[in-house]
């Protein structure tokens, strides 16, 4: 084989090797991006402490009133049975002619103690009631991270849920109602901290 042909073959091999290395490297980068998930640095102490703050909000009337034990929502700062006694219904939006949206408009009604509003106002559906009322911190923490009980949400979806429109409506409650004990920003920080440090449940 002539020297010229040898040089040609060497050049082909080198170019092929560089191309293959680039392809593998590129694929590794893509794969790394594809499988990227929210990093978790487990810390049971920080996680439990954060959930105790979250729990204060979830037990406030602004949350628990729409997460009752039964199929009738609660109302008021004292969380009494809704005076109109609307039923949950299959989709959580009421039954027959008594729908949540009849009174709960897309925005708050003007005046003191008038119906608060949101375009998505509803209870959790009948097949995923997500009860908060009466739950201990341990029970609720366990429930919230169980996809069979939390609306089939994974970690990413739970984190995103802090900015759900109906969740944020808890801080836009209309005149005459007490706000949750934390601001939304404080709640969101505690919520994400709890989840990203392992989502540990407080002791029973």
């Amino acid at each position: 084989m002539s020297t010229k042909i040898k040089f040609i073959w060497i050049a082909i091999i080198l170019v092929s090797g560089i191309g293959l290395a680039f392809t593998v490297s590129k694929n590794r980068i893509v794969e790394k991006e594809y499988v990227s998930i929210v990093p978790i640095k487990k810390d049971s102490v920080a996680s439990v402490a954060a959930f105790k703050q979250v729990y204060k909000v979830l037990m406030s009337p602004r949350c628990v009133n729409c997460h009752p034990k039964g199929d009738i929502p609660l109302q008021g700062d004292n969380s009494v049975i809704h005076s109109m006694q609307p039923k949950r219904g299959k989709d959580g939006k009421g039954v027959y002619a008594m729908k949540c949206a009849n009174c709960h408009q897309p925005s708050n009604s003007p005046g003191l103690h008038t119906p608060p509003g949101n375009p998505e106002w509803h209870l959790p559906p009948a097949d995923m009631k997500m009860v908060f009322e009466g739950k201990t911190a341990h029970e609720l923490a366990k429930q919230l991270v169980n996809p069979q009980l939390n609306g089939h949400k994974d970690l990413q979806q739970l984190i995103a849920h802090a900015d759900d429109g109906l969740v944020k409506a808890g801080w836009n409650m209309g005149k005459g109602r007490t706000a949750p004990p934390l601001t939304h920003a404080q709640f969101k920080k505690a919520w994400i901290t709890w989840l990203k440090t392992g989502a540990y449940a407080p002791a029973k």
Side-chain angles (χ1 to χ4, degrees), residues 61-183:
R62 304 290 74 80
C63 290
V64 79
N65 283 1
C66 286
H67 290 267
K69 292 178 181 177
D71 289 325
I72 299 176
L74 309 176
Q75 69 178 49
D77 284 351
N78 53 351
S79 298
V80 296
I81 293 291
H82 198 297
S83 60
M84 300 297 291
Q85 297 200 1
K87 303 299 190 298
R88 182 188 302 273
K90 185 177 180 180
D91 60 1
K93 297 181 179 181
V95 296
Y96 305 118
M98 189 176 282
K99 299 291 187 179
C100 299
N102 291 356
C103 296
H104 295 280
Q105 301 296 305
S107 59
N108 291 342
S109 301
L112 190 66
H113 299 301
T114 55
N118 184 274
E120 298 299 322
W121 198 276
H122 65 278
L123 297 180
D127 63 352
M128 191 70 68
K129 294 184 178 182
M130 291 183 273
V131 175
F132 290 4
E133 184 187 7
K135 298 281 187 178
T136 66
H138 177 85
E139 290 169 337
L140 193 51
K142 290 290 189 180
Q143 175 181 303
L144 288 168
V145 293
N146 183 343
Q148 301 303 314
L149 300 173
N150 72 7
H152 309 294
K153 292 180 178 63
D154 60 18
L155 180 62
Q156 294 278 17
Q157 291 167 322
L158 286 171
I159 289 173
H161 193 63
D163 286 319
D164 177 83
L166 199 51
V167 170
K168 294 174 78 172
W171 284 266
N172 181 32
M173 55 284 179
K175 294 181 180 180
R177 298 181 182 88
T178 303
L182 305 180
T183 66

Side-chain angles (χ1 to χ4, degrees), residues 7-20:
F7 277 123
I8 291 173
W9 274 109
I10 291 171
I12 292 171
I13 292 169
L14 286 173
V15 170
S16 299
I18 292 170
L20 179 61

